[in-house]
Amino acid sequence: MAQSYKSSDKIDTFLSDHILRIIMNRPEKKNALTVAMYSKMTEFLSQAEIDENVRIILIGGAGGSFTSGNDLKDFLENPPRDKSSPVFAFMNAISQMEKPVIAAVEGLAVGIGTTMLLHCDLVYAGKNSKFLLPFVNLGLCPEAGSSFLLPPLVGARNATELLFLGEPFSAERAKELGLINGILEDSEVLKYAEQQARKLALKSQTSIRLTKAMLKRKYGQIIKDTISEEAELLMKRLASPEAAEAFAAFFEHRQADFEKFNK
């Protein structure tokens, strides 16, 4: 099939062999996500769902990183005001995709960089990848349905540890937990993910989508409700003094001090 390329707001797309590649391309900031980038990814996902030429969606990052999560400066300047905000629209879009979504992870996968993987059907990572769920460290709470999806996937104890401590973990640990399907050399991740995508693109697309729907049939509404509930709490937490202290500490390159809020 013909190839097509489109770039907008630091998000690149490339369509060939019925595979739409969505690449976060802001390498100078380790692909930290802005409101505009969220909006563009949501737009591309929505278009892919109805485009008959697209069978598989492949998400990756440019410059050796998947994404370092939210661009905190942009996030504070453009905080989510309601559930229609770009960040929540993206969470809902990726969680409700009917077509298969594959992720190719290199380098950092922070915050949404890890939680979005919970909505991907196949995930492959480079051996030097680092995953991080820093929500408690920022005075926030889980998002993207992770409070529901993590426990059955990685086990309740492991989910608690990952979310409570907010410490980085390796690709080996992610594979052990079942968060990713496989580990490759960093330079081979995208190539391997594309090979897997091509295999899927040659199969019966009706069967693929039906199988995906059956795998998710018991949890679709629960995931949607969880994302909504988490969004409510996240917006409240963003206005909290703990979050203000955490963000100030981040920009001042110091450890956040929550002790005065714990009394």
Side-chain angles (χ1 to χ4, degrees):
M1 63 171 292
Q3 298 179 343
S4 65
Y5 174 82
K6 186 185 296 184
S7 180
S8 180
D9 293 313
K10 303 293 184 178
I11 303 295
D12 296 342
T13 62
F14 181 71
L15 174 62
S16 68
D17 301 324
H18 300 290
I19 303 163
L20 179 69
R21 299 150 183 84
I22 299 178
I23 306 297
M24 296 169 280
N25 191 2
R26 197 186 178 206
E28 72 279 7
K29 295 291 185 179
K30 298 189 184 299
N31 302 324
L33 294 167
T34 63
V35 168
M37 292 169 73
Y38 276 121
S39 294
K40 191 53 61 174
M41 284 200 293
T42 300
E43 178 185 327
F44 286 139
L45 286 173
S46 299
Q47 291 173 352
E49 195 76 299
I50 61 175
D51 188 341
E52 293 182 355
N53 288 321
V54 177
R55 297 177 183 174
I56 314 295
I57 296 93
L58 174 59
I59 300 177
S65 286
F66 190 61
T67 172
S68 56
N70 289 314
D71 181 311
L72 292 186
K73 184 176 184 294
D74 181 79
F75 200 59
L76 290 176
E77 292 174 350
N78 304 282
R81 304 293 184 186
D82 55 48
K83 295 178 185 177
S84 66
S85 295
V87 61
F88 301 135
F90 170 72
M91 292 176 190
N92 281 304
I94 195 169
S95 70
Q96 296 173 36
M97 291 295 293
E98 295 180 5
K99 294 180 179 179
V101 180
I102 300 175
V105 179
E106 293 181 66
L108 293 176
V110 178
I112 188 69
T114 292
T115 57
M116 77 165 77
L117 303 179
L118 301 173
H119 303 287
C120 296
D121 301 290
L122 296 172
V123 181
Y124 302 100
K127 67 178 184 180
N128 293 310
S129 299
K130 293 294 181 184
F131 303 81
L132 178 64
L133 297 166
F135 309 117
V136 169
N137 299 347
L138 293 172
L140 303 177
C141 65
E143 39 92 306
S146 56
S147 63
F148 171 73
L149 290 167
L150 268 178
L153 178 64
V154 306
R157 295 293 185 188
N158 289 321
T160 300
E161 183 176 55
L162 296 178
L163 290 169
F164 274 19
L165 295 178
E167 296 176 343
F169 56 101
S170 67
E172 288 80 6
R173 180 63 172 154
K175 178 68 165 61
E176 176 186 310
L177 292 169
L179 186 63
I180 63 177
N181 292 88
I183 302 173
L184 291 303
E185 293 293 330
D186 295 331
S187 61
E188 297 295 315
V189 178
L190 184 59
K191 183 189 299 184
Y192 185 81
E194 288 180 336
Q195 290 174 355
Q196 298 299 85
R198 289 190 185 94
K199 292 178 186 177
L200 292 184
L202 295 175
K203 297 182 183 291
S204 163
Q205 297 307 295
T206 300
S207 293
I208 289 285
R209 293 169 204 166
L210 179 60
T211 300
K212 177 169 179 172
M214 292 174 69
L215 288 169
K216 295 179 177 291
R217 69 188 184 282
K218 291 184 179 180
Y219 307 116
Q221 189 59 48
I222 298 174
I223 292 171
K224 190 174 182 179
D225 291 344
T226 302
I227 291 174
S228 178
E229 292 168 6
E230 290 173 346
E232 290 278 6
L233 292 172
L234 183 61
M235 286 187 286
K236 291 178 181 178
R237 293 306 302 161
L238 281 168
S240 71
E242 291 96 330
E245 162 61 16
F247 291 136
F250 176 83
F251 290 116
E252 294 167 10
H253 305 287
R254 62 175 174 82
Q255 185 73 30
D257 181 7
F258 296 116
E259 189 57 31
K260 59 186 173 183
F261 307 112
N262 294 334
K263 298 178 180 178

